[in-house]
Amino acid sequence: AVALRGRLRCPCVNVSVFNSKTAELLSHHQVEIKQSFPKEGWVEEDPKEILQSVYECMDRTCEKLTQLNIDISNIKAIGVTNQRETTIVWDKETGEPLYNAIVWLDLRTQSTVERLISKTPGRNKNHLKHKTGLPISTYFSAVKLKWLMDNVEEVHRAVVSKRAMFGTVDSWIIWCLTGGRSGGVHCTDVTNASRTMLFNIHTLDWDPELCKYFDIPMEILPKVRSSSEIYGLMVSAHRPPTCLGDQSAALVGQIGSGCPVMSDHGLLTTVAYKLGRDKPACYALEGSVAIAGAVVRWLQDNLGIIQTSEELEKMAASVGTSYGCYFVPAFSGLYAPYWEPSARGIICGLTQFTNRKHVAFAALEAVCFQTREILDAMNQDSGIPLSQLQVDGGMTSNRLLMQLQADILCIPVVKPSMPETTALGAAMAAGSAEGVSVWSLRPEDLSEVTSEKFEPQINPEESEFRYARWKKAVEKSKNWETTEPVANGETSIFCSVPLGFYIIGSMLMLVGAKYIAGQCTLWFPWRLSVLQFRY
């Protein structure tokens, strides 16, 4: 079984091939994809580049299998795992994307979100949570789709003429792999659908009231399927694809389960997986962090503090402390458990002694502190304190990070020997689908996965002290963006109503005083159009 995983933290397409009997990784290949940042807070990817990277990875992986004398005709199924909220709209007649993919952490829809929340009773961002399990946020696909319909003429025309297709990355890849405009299958699975804000997690289908709320026509939406069933045949190789959202695939790879619980502490209630057409859905509480692994890329590409991700571990380990420096990487606002889009990243606690090594250490600690916040919320919502944390992903190769995580959580951290459990989970879902059935998901048939355990090495009092300082830094990062952009995209000091009144009042008092003193005539040397007050 093959798993295709698109990851944004280090944006790339990855193809991995597993042995369905032993869960052994046989071969893999990955290609980085470019991200563009047209404006501040905007993050885009080229859907055609994503697709081309999928084909390239599949070709290179098959070449590697052939070199290992493995017959590629033994590949029985393809599982797709993807960035769940990244949004694409394309033309079903031409097969062409109508705009770049808007990536999940993109912030351009903030004004759309604010308008929607302003219309809800009590300006409640959780107004739709009883159906969706989600707050109204820039994170999810519906507001991205609405922005495209309202702001991109090609998308608007295609929707009106009933040529538009909407989907997350899984839908785009599956549609293209199964034939595209020549009969491609337009579908998604429950895990991806549950991250749109258009999907009812109780009925497990698109909700007409939610679609009406966002003014989105239901005919452009993909058909919702389970996470483990044959959707169609790949045109060039006749292998059936299935799909699963990235975090859900990781959960399957870790052999997890869940039940529907609504969070009272800032978490998301989401569909974990539905492993078969007639199987029940399993649910999960999820805490989403906007910037975790991507902070490494920021240190490398934006600040030039490190040259490679491996260098970060050595640099941080050489000092062994942040020396009171705390880093809140709220580049796209704060996600769970705060859901504060107005927050921005800060580095605080700096002294003359602070150097780049301390900042590097603080960056790693920031990943751990964000995880601690999520786990605290989960413990409160579930009432069941977690006894250990299972981890996966590329950052688990950083042993210092794993130890820091155990120290901050005060519980063991368990790292599997095969860190890409997301890819493994997608492969398992594909291989176990009815009609493929080469992978048994019965507990007694699952292969034993070796792991390494990191035990806490500091006393709980020190951990609590550092965590409290982090929470203080988080509070400082909130409400940073309090102004709206003016028409040309710049920010005006007059957008702040109290500040605007203060400045205008001061000007009037100054002019009035001079007028009374007979020192000047009463006229205003600035353009009246500058005096704008935005609410």
Side-chain angles (χ1 to χ4, degrees):
V2 179
L4 311 178
R5 184 186 182 193
R7 300 177 300 168
L8 184 131
R9 279 79 178 177
C10 175
C12 66
V13 169
N14 175 58
V15 169
S16 301
V17 180
F18 295 89
N19 183 318
S20 63
K21 303 301 181 185
T22 65
E24 176 190 1
L25 177 63
L26 301 176
S27 179
H28 73 98
H29 188 83
Q30 75 176 31
V31 174
E32 286 197 19
I33 54 177
K34 297 176 183 175
Q35 287 181 341
S36 58
F37 307 91
K39 297 182 181 180
E40 183 180 357
W42 292 29
V43 189
E44 298 178 359
E45 295 169 353
D46 182 352
K48 296 177 76 172
E49 183 187 356
I50 294 173
L51 182 64
Q52 186 56 42
S53 297
V54 168
Y55 287 129
E56 180 181 345
C57 285
M58 294 176 78
D59 289 343
R60 298 290 83 78
T61 302
C62 288
E63 288 176 6
K64 292 178 182 179
L65 288 171
T66 301
Q67 292 169 4
L68 295 170
N69 295 319
I70 296 175
D71 187 354
I72 61 173
S73 66
N74 287 330
I75 296 175
K76 300 300 182 185
I78 299 172
V80 180
T81 177
N82 59 288
Q83 305 166 1
R84 290 169 300 173
E85 298 83 9
T86 298
T87 300
I88 304 174
V89 179
W90 66 95
D91 189 314
K92 66 182 177 183
E93 294 182 4
T94 66
E96 292 292 313
L98 297 171
Y99 192 79
N100 276 343
I102 299 181
V103 175
W104 58 271
L105 52 63
D106 186 284
L107 286 176
R108 76 188 67 190
T109 56
Q110 183 54 41
S111 59
T112 303
V113 167
E114 289 172 355
R115 285 197 299 270
L116 290 169
I117 292 176
S118 69
K119 297 177 183 177
T120 66
R123 298 179 60 88
N124 180 13
K125 64 185 175 186
N126 292 317
H127 179 63
L128 306 177
K129 196 170 184 179
H130 66 290
K131 283 189 174 184
T132 66
L134 313 171
I136 302 172
S137 166
T138 60
Y139 186 17
F140 306 109
S141 308
V143 290
K144 295 177 174 65
L145 176 55
K146 183 169 179 59
W147 186 92
L148 287 167
M149 292 169 55
D150 293 344
N151 293 277
V152 179
E153 183 60 30
E154 291 85 351
V155 173
H156 176 73
R157 286 200 301 263
V159 170
V160 171
S161 60
K162 301 187 184 303
R163 293 181 291 109
M165 284 184 161
F166 153 78
T168 42
V169 176
D170 61 305
S171 296
W172 166 244
I173 291 175
I174 291 171
W175 186 78
C176 293
L177 291 182
T178 56
R181 58 181 180 168
S182 301
V185 177
H186 187 210
C187 70
T188 189
D189 86 311
V190 290
T191 67
N192 283 283
S194 71
R195 310 296 286 206
T196 60
M197 288 197 293
L198 303 172
F199 183 79
N200 189 315
I201 63 173
H202 305 287
T203 65
L204 298 178
D205 207 349
W206 303 120
D207 189 289
E209 291 184 1
L210 292 172
C211 291
K212 184 177 180 181
Y213 179 86
F214 289 100
D215 196 23
I216 290 173
M218 296 185 70
E219 61 265 20
I220 73 172
L221 304 177
K223 181 176 176 59
V224 181
R225 313 279 286 271
S226 76
S227 308
S228 180
E229 64 176 279
I230 296 175
Y231 303 146
L233 295 178
M234 181 174 163
V235 170
S236 61
H238 300 293
R239 296 184 182 94
T242 67
C243 77
L244 195 62
D246 51 359
Q247 310 301 340
S248 296
L251 187 62
V252 173
Q254 297 273 18
I255 317 301
S257 62
C259 57
V261 175
M262 288 297 171
S263 173
D264 294 321
H265 299 91
L267 300 179
L268 308 176
T269 301
T270 193
V271 179
Y273 47 77
K274 185 175 186 291
L275 297 178
R277 192 177 311 174
D278 302 320
K279 298 293 177 64
C282 290
Y283 297 83
L285 284 175
E286 179 180 330
S288 298
V289 174
I291 302 292
V295 74
V296 180
R297 292 292 293 248
W298 184 80
L299 291 175
Q300 178 180 324
D301 298 343
N302 292 42
L303 294 192
I305 287 179
I306 56 173
Q307 300 302 313
T308 64
S309 58
E310 292 76 18
E311 187 180 343
L312 178 64
E313 181 176 4
K314 295 178 182 177
M315 184 180 294
S318 69
V319 287
T321 176
S322 68
Y323 199 77
C325 173
Y326 289 86
F327 186 177
V328 182
F331 303 151
S332 300
L334 291 168
Y335 282 17
Y338 302 102
W339 300 107
E340 284 282 351
S342 65
R344 287 297 178 269
I346 63 169
I347 301 176
C348 58
L350 302 177
T351 69
Q352 286 182 312
F353 182 74
T354 307
N355 60 39
R356 63 186 185 133
K357 296 178 181 180
H358 299 120
V359 174
F361 193 96
L364 290 182
E365 273 197 317
V367 176
C368 303
F369 288 133
Q370 290 179 106
T371 305
R372 167 74 186 268
E373 290 184 309
I374 299 301
L375 263 63
D376 281 357
M378 287 187 172
N379 287 339
Q380 293 177 73
D381 277 328
S382 67
I384 307 172
L386 297 177
S387 58
Q388 66 179 26
L389 176 69
Q390 292 179 265
V391 298
D392 91 306
M395 289 197 78
T396 60
S397 62
N398 188 319
R399 296 181 61 81
L400 174 61
L401 176 65
M402 296 297 95
Q403 186 58 56
L404 281 173
Q405 190 67 85
D407 291 343
I408 297 301
L409 296 177
C410 299
I411 59 174
V413 169
V414 179
K415 168 193 167 185
S417 56
M418 207 291 288
E420 292 296 346
T421 52
T422 300
L424 176 60
M428 292 167 66
S432 64
E434 183 180 353
V436 180
S437 303
V438 297
W439 204 314
S440 171
L441 296 184
R442 293 183 302 179
E444 62 269 22
D445 295 334
L446 293 172
S447 303
E448 182 90 22
V449 177
T450 59
S451 60
E452 181 179 7
K453 182 179 288 190
F454 294 81
E455 299 282 353
Q457 293 182 353
I458 65 173
N459 62 60
E461 290 76 17
E462 181 182 348
S463 175
E464 290 300 322
F465 174 78
R466 286 156 63 177
Y467 183 50
R469 296 295 292 270
W470 156 263
K471 298 283 279 187
K472 184 177 180 180
V474 169
E475 292 303 313
K476 300 292 185 184
S477 76
K478 292 181 181 179
N479 301 312
W480 197 264
E481 285 295 323
T482 56
T483 60
E484 290 186 11
V486 295
N488 63 2
E490 300 296 326
T491 301
S492 168
I493 59 172
F494 298 101
C495 293
S496 169
V497 174
L499 178 60
F501 277 124
Y502 175 79
I503 293 174
I504 300 306
S506 299
M507 289 178 176
L508 291 174
M509 289 175 65
L510 178 60
V511 173
K514 288 189 176 184
Y515 177 74
I516 292 171
Q519 295 179 10
C520 71
T521 56
L522 183 59
W523 65 278
F524 295 85
W526 58 85
R527 291 184 300 128
L528 290 178
S529 60
V530 174
L531 307 181
Q532 301 175 15
F533 298 95
R534 294 182 179 269
Y535 296 86

